[in-house]
Amino acid sequence: MSPDPFPLGPPPYPLGAPLARREGREKVTGTARYAAEHTPPGCAYAWPVAATVARGRITAVDAAGALALPGVCAVLTHENAPRLAVADDPTLSLLQDDRVPHRGWYVALAVADSLETARAAAEAVRVSYATEEHDVLLTAGHPGLYEAEIANGGYPGTRERGDFEGEFAAAPVTVDATYIVPPLHNHPMEPHASTAHWSDGRLTVHDSSQGATKVCEDLAALFSLDTSRVTVVSEHVGGGFGSKGTPRPQVVLAAMAARHTGRPVKLSLPRREMAAVVGHRAPTVQRVRLGAGDDGVLTALAHEIATHTSTVKEFVEQAAVPARMMYTSPNSRTVHRVVPLDVPTPSWMRAPGEAPGMYALESAVDELAVLLDVDPVELRLRNEPDTEPDSDRAFSSRHLIGCLREGAKRFGWLPRDPRPGVRREGDLLLGTGVAAATYPVYVAPSSAEAQAAADGSYRVRVNATDIGTGARTVLAQIAAAALTVPEERVHIEIGNSDLPPAMLAGGSMGTASWGWAVHKACMALRAQLRHHDGPLPAGGLTAVADTRQEAAERSPYARHAFGATFAEVQADTVSGEVRLRRLLGVYAAGRILNSRTARSQFIGGMTMGLGMALMEGSRLDPAFGDFAECDLASYHVPVCADVPQIEAHWLDEEDPHLNPMGSKGIGEIGIVGTAAAVANAFRHATGIRLRDLPLSADKVLPRLRARQEGTG
Amino acid sequence: MKPFGYLRATSVEEAVRAAAGRPGARFLGGGTNLVDLMKLGVEAPPLLIDVTRLPLADIEELPDGGLRIGAMVRNSDLAAAVAVRERYPVLSQALLAGASGQLRNTATTGGNLLQRTRCLYFQDTTKPCNKRSPGTGCPARDGVHRDLAVLGHSAHCVATQPSDLAVALAALDAEVQLHGPDGERTVAVTDFHRLPGDRPEQDTVIRPGELLTAVRLPPAAPGARSRYRKARDRASFAFALASVAAVLEVRDGVVGRAALAFGGLAHRPWRARAAEEVLHGAPATEDTFARAADAELAAARPLRDNAFKVELARNLAVSVLTGLASPAADR
């Protein structure tokens, strides 16, 4: 046996241990400072002005009333704002022209001595528009739909294998169903905020971001600076769920306002405006067709989605992508169609593609199980592929079956009467459901520096971001294990673009990407230390590493994490209220590096999936063109009472084809599969297949009645 | 910055006098709705008169066996009061079904009754709304209105009154005491909130400068049982899709006293008099309860997307009344 390429270090082994977050004390005592909590001397405050029309052009901006208010420094508009270089991301091309692509697009920015004055000034700005007809409603047959070439993540929009139509027509058992997911919103607890200031031609910003390196690069490009003249600090970040994965308007506007006024400027986006400017999960209409033999083995699989994007840029939620690798499917067709509407620009929200796509696919698999009268766990076992269907590559590891079996055992899945509508407690109908989960393994180049100090401590520097996940702590564990020193002796510096550049916290690849670079730097440092005689020099010893080469290598293996989610729900036949009773997930995601923070990631994702199933969703208001539910009073997310029992478990999965830690990402897989498990449990409870999320009383109640009357 | 005055009143008279002298002034209780509306720009009072220090925070026994609840009694305290839990369970249940623990600790009895609609258009100052800006129109009627009214709405407004407390008080025949520049008066809770008609900007019959000082509960009907049930989008911390408050007395299988009120359906808590007429003296059976609910809800005029509320309200009423009529099987 070859030696472990990544020794655990001396006991107590740091890797996998449930260490508490390093910054936990600062966070709970309020001393951890977030982006809007930095106030440089002379700081001014900004408040944005959002367009109140859904489409058109600005014909005039009257800022006189705003500028007349005492304490107002400036009102930036497209007429006077600093010119920006052409942005790679056109959503950052702010105050550059008179176009209004959607309601809520920023058309001006007021800057003042105080937050209150800035807000009053923003309200006093008079903007006139020439409005144009707008269209914000996605329909499956929208005439503007076209086949997307590339879906998010760089995936081809369309893939075909074999002869789907022929095999589907010939299949003895078929499912043909359409599922609808409404627009969903990230709504992190901390709104998007920035504090920016310029000094001697250098720009420094504190930004609530998932990746300061990316923000630094984009700001440098927009303001035509070298990246060495821009520092972005994202020390503590109160969640992002993808919406802070790319730079957002607040950081560009704050930097513009600071340049324009010559003062530091702080801008925190109002909660009610976030839905329009920080991305959202685009709605999807998803048609899934399954053809199977009488044995339940799939012979034909089609997943075709329709979704929207904005007129600002194309973003295509890759919801049909997981169907390409999930199950045996010799004849397969996966298509993404998209229509640009006058809507805010969609973007990443926790598990883009997988979260909505696996809701539809795993619901359809459940429908097939019902048709065949086969247990849904068993049906999935029968469709386990030997290699990744889309590429024919071997899986580096695939323990879906293990997750399903372990989950079934822990949940008490069997014995299970498959008949719906027979488990009653008074007015309540009870049911159980299962769904599979998956998420790809990504890795991106990162760099890190490790230093051994003369006093026996170590310092590791890497521009990772801790968005509440525990990244700081996990990286210390990785460094300590690589250095074979106690974790307390390792200092970690993250969250600053002056540190060695690294991947953003997204795509469930943060820990793998940063950890790989940290590991490499620490191993190099260890080698230096081995060859060093005598006391360390005053400046210590330093090693740097980057993983450009490792990350660029294409793995010969198909690499994905897998999981299985089990849910029990109750449906109230009187009120139509559907509530969770318990939720259990089992995941196979390589080596788990910190069992405490990992559990939080899993149950957090599962809870978000529960929200998607039962209550989350917004509506685009056809008359006004905006999302009607734009605050946390109207956009419901689960509260504690909605989650009476939740468990996350994992298999000890060893996969030597990943990275030195042997880890897969865990930030997103929890949300994947959960909505389907809940919807499948609802079907088991009631016999009603409701293919339109969320499962809210307004939809459930009429269906319950129809079923009672024998028409459903 | 929108400057506003702040006055901490030390007596009811002082508060009322200050309000009378400053049109647009608002009384500040827990602030859980008013302060939000000020942040949204929906409310911009020139003067806030803080009434939380007034001696209105007591729950008193009345000689007739009823209760007098001071307007400044916090929702949590009222829900936990032994007299309320024992004699008016519907009231305690309604309070506990509202908001969150933190909000209930702050929200006052008077403020709860005077809270304003959560209609999304009312709260968005960039859009028309007859309630906020009379004469501008009602986009909710053809817009996003799943949560809005099915009973008693008008061409001008389809908003709902969101208070849970008000629904229970309506079923309990409670009265509110108002103290104004011209002295005191008492109004039945069922007459306190208005239907929108052509003046949706007026939520209640309260007059300018009047302060709600107390709620009076009549003695609990001996032998009657009461219950509140609320349906909502999540298990806690959401406004009612529909709710029911019921007080029911059954003797020898026949309905004696019955009081029923719906929440979440209209611009005011909806006391179901037509249903009660069916109930009085009728056999306490599920069939009676269904007929009673239907009699009341025949008047419903649902909007495009909220017809489910009629069925929901009917189901809740039948279920609650059936439970109250059969103590052993109550759940």
Side-chain angles (χ1 to χ4, degrees), chain B residues 171-322:
Chain B
L172 288 169
D173 288 317
E175 297 170 337
V176 296
Q177 289 187 325
L178 304 171
H179 194 121
D182 305 326
E184 286 191 85
R185 64 182 179 127
T186 299
V187 178
V189 165
T190 48
D191 297 329
F192 182 60
H193 295 91
R194 295 178 64 255
L195 290 182
D198 58 3
R199 282 197 307 131
E201 69 276 16
Q202 191 73 32
D203 291 353
T204 66
V205 299
I206 208 161
R207 294 173 194 147
E210 271 187 327
L211 176 66
L212 198 164
T213 53
V215 170
R216 290 174 62 108
L217 288 175
R225 305 174 71 230
S226 71
R227 182 157 181 239
Y228 188 73
R229 180 157 177 202
K230 172 180 180 179
R232 45 188 153 173
D233 277 330
R234 60 184 170 190
S236 178
F237 203 10
F239 292 99
L241 297 169
S243 69
V244 166
V247 180
L248 188 73
E249 179 201 15
V250 177
R251 275 193 207 153
D252 304 327
V254 172
V255 176
R257 191 190 135 73
L260 187 70
F262 290 111
L265 301 189
H267 198 258
R268 68 180 188 204
W270 192 268
R271 180 69 184 261
R273 305 279 185 197
E276 290 169 16
E277 263 183 48
V278 174
L279 291 172
H280 290 144
T285 62
E286 194 169 324
D287 179 60
T288 298
F289 302 143
R291 279 193 298 112
D294 288 340
E296 190 66 45
L297 294 165
R301 288 177 292 135
L303 306 168
R304 183 192 65 233
D305 292 333
N306 69 1
F308 78 101
K309 283 187 155 198
V310 180
E311 184 180 2
L312 175 55
R314 177 189 193 275
N315 289 359
L316 292 177
V318 174
S319 170
V320 165
L321 291 170
T322 306

Side-chain angles (χ1 to χ4, degrees), chain A residues 563-600:
Chain A
T565 315
F566 294 78
E568 181 178 7
V569 306
Q570 62 181 47
D572 191 317
T573 54
V574 168
S575 66
E577 295 169 296
V578 183
R579 304 277 190 250
L580 181 80
R581 290 211 157 185
R582 54 197 181 108
L583 193 58
L584 184 148
V586 178
Y587 301 95
R591 184 183 273 172
I592 296 301
L593 303 174
N594 180 322
S595 54
R596 182 197 301 247
T597 55
R599 178 179 175 277
S600 291

Side-chain angles (χ1 to χ4, degrees), chain A residues 464-694:
Chain A
T465 322
D466 194 324
I467 54 174
T469 53
R472 224 177 240 101
T473 311
V474 171
L475 291 175
Q477 290 175 269
I478 292 169
L483 293 165
T484 65
V485 301
E487 166 269 340
E488 308 81 49
R489 276 165 58 191
V490 179
H491 304 285
I492 294 282
E493 290 180 31
I494 64 168
N496 188 314
S497 66
D498 291 345
L499 296 167
M503 175 58 193
L504 59 94
S508 294
M509 68 178 114
T511 301
S513 304
W514 310 322
W516 200 336
V518 166
H519 171 262
K520 193 174 173 184
C522 289
M523 294 306 271
L525 180 63
R526 253 178 84 185
Q528 282 188 38
L529 289 167
R530 242 192 324 268
H531 296 109
H532 184 85
D533 291 323
L536 295 182
L541 287 180
T542 302
V544 294
D546 81 63
T547 58
R548 227 170 311 169
Q549 198 183 333
E550 291 87 338
E553 273 174 27
R554 187 169 185 275
S555 173
Y557 296 97
R559 300 184 296 186
H560 306 266
F562 291 90
T565 315
F566 294 78
E568 181 178 7
V569 306
Q570 62 181 47
D572 191 317
T573 54
V574 168
S575 66
E577 295 169 296
V578 183
R579 304 277 190 250
L580 181 80
R581 290 211 157 185
R582 54 197 181 108
L583 193 58
L584 184 148
V586 178
Y587 301 95
R591 184 183 273 172
I592 296 301
L593 303 174
N594 180 322
S595 54
R596 182 197 301 247
T597 55
R599 178 179 175 277
S600 291
Q601 286 278 303
F602 287 131
I603 65 171
M606 292 163 71
T607 303
M608 212 163 178
L610 169 69
M612 176 180 168
L614 295 186
M615 66 197 78
E616 289 190 44
S618 72
R619 283 159 287 193
L620 278 154
D621 188 320
F624 296 97
D626 58 350
F627 292 112
E629 295 83 0
C630 59
D631 60 22
L632 290 170
S634 53
Y635 185 85
H636 291 142
V637 298
V639 296
C640 290
D642 290 299
V643 196
Q645 193 183 328
I646 187 166
E647 290 177 40
H649 304 278
W650 48 87
L651 307 181
D652 292 323
E653 184 179 72
E654 286 187 27
D655 185 335
H657 309 298
L658 301 170
N659 56 50
M661 296 81 67
S663 65
K664 297 175 179 174
I666 57 171
E668 291 164 273
I669 194 169
I671 193 176
V672 182
T674 299
V678 171
N680 293 341
F682 171 73
R683 192 269 160 197
H684 184 232
T686 61
I688 296 165
R689 184 70 68 178
L690 194 49
R691 302 184 183 90
D692 182 1
L693 294 183

Side-chain angles (χ1 to χ4, degrees), chain A residues 83 132 141 163 202 243 259 303 321 446 479 555 577:
Chain A
R83 294 300 95 186
E132 297 160 19
D163 170 21
R202 278 190 53 85
S243 70
R259 169 169 269 189
H303 193 166
V321 165
S446 293
S555 173
E577 295 169 296

Side-chain angles (χ1 to χ4, degrees), chain B residues 4-311:
Chain B
F4 59 87
Y6 173 84
L7 173 74
R8 182 178 290 168
T10 53
S11 71
V12 169
E13 291 71 23
E14 183 196 3
V16 169
R17 207 164 40 239
R22 197 71 180 271
R26 292 278 185 271
F27 296 117
L28 177 68
T32 59
N33 186 216
L34 177 59
V35 173
D36 283 357
L37 291 173
M38 289 172 70
K39 289 180 183 172
L40 291 171
V42 174
E43 290 273 8
L47 174 66
L48 282 185
I49 302 163
D50 185 341
V51 292
T52 56
R53 314 295 167 103
L54 299 184
L56 301 174
D58 293 326
I59 302 171
E60 297 162 45
E61 291 285 350
L62 294 174
D64 65 357
L67 286 182
R68 183 181 186 278
I69 302 159
M72 289 302 114
V73 174
R74 309 283 169 169
N75 289 179
S76 297
D77 293 335
L78 184 56
V82 173
V84 172
R85 290 171 57 185
E86 288 183 353
R87 283 143 57 188
Y88 309 95
V90 64
L91 178 55
S92 182
Q93 291 164 12
L95 285 161
L96 294 175
S100 66
Q102 293 90 337
L103 287 171
R104 292 194 295 269
N105 286 344
T106 299
T108 61
T109 303
N112 188 320
L113 289 176
L114 288 163
Q115 67 178 300
R116 311 210 62 191
T117 185
R118 295 321 196 273
C119 174
L120 299 172
Y121 299 96
F122 173 72
Q123 297 181 88
D124 185 343
T125 56
T126 68
K127 294 173 184 168
C129 168
N130 286 326
K131 182 181 278 296
R132 178 170 31 78
S133 307
T136 54
C138 175
R141 178 162 269 287
D142 295 318
V144 175
H145 58 221
R146 187 202 66 152
D147 299 344
L148 301 180
V150 295
L151 282 165
H153 52 75
S154 73
H156 304 282
C157 184
V158 295
T160 46
Q161 220 296 327
S163 168
D164 292 298
L165 168 65
V167 185
L169 293 180
L172 288 169
D173 288 317
E175 297 170 337
V176 296
Q177 289 187 325
L178 304 171
H179 194 121
D182 305 326
E184 286 191 85
R185 64 182 179 127
T186 299
V187 178
V189 165
T190 48
D191 297 329
F192 182 60
H193 295 91
R194 295 178 64 255
L195 290 182
D198 58 3
R199 282 197 307 131
E201 69 276 16
Q202 191 73 32
D203 291 353
T204 66
V205 299
I206 208 161
R207 294 173 194 147
E210 271 187 327
L211 176 66
L212 198 164
T213 53
V215 170
R216 290 174 62 108
L217 288 175
R225 305 174 71 230
S226 71
R227 182 157 181 239
Y228 188 73
R229 180 157 177 202
K230 172 180 180 179
R232 45 188 153 173
D233 277 330
R234 60 184 170 190
S236 178
F237 203 10
F239 292 99
L241 297 169
S243 69
V244 166
V247 180
L248 188 73
E249 179 201 15
V250 177
R251 275 193 207 153
D252 304 327
V254 172
V255 176
R257 191 190 135 73
L260 187 70
F262 290 111
L265 301 189
H267 198 258
R268 68 180 188 204
W270 192 268
R271 180 69 184 261
R273 305 279 185 197
E276 290 169 16
E277 263 183 48
V278 174
L279 291 172
H280 290 144
T285 62
E286 194 169 324
D287 179 60
T288 298
F289 302 143
R291 279 193 298 112
D294 288 340
E296 190 66 45
L297 294 165
R301 288 177 292 135
L303 306 168
R304 183 192 65 233
D305 292 333
N306 69 1
F308 78 101
K309 283 187 155 198
V310 180
E311 184 180 2

Side-chain angles (χ1 to χ4, degrees), chain A residues 278-298:
Chain A
V278 304
H280 62 275
R281 192 194 304 288
T284 46
V285 181
Q286 308 182 44
R287 184 182 186 195
V288 181
R289 283 177 287 169
L290 304 178
D294 292 319
D295 58 358
V297 175
L298 293 174

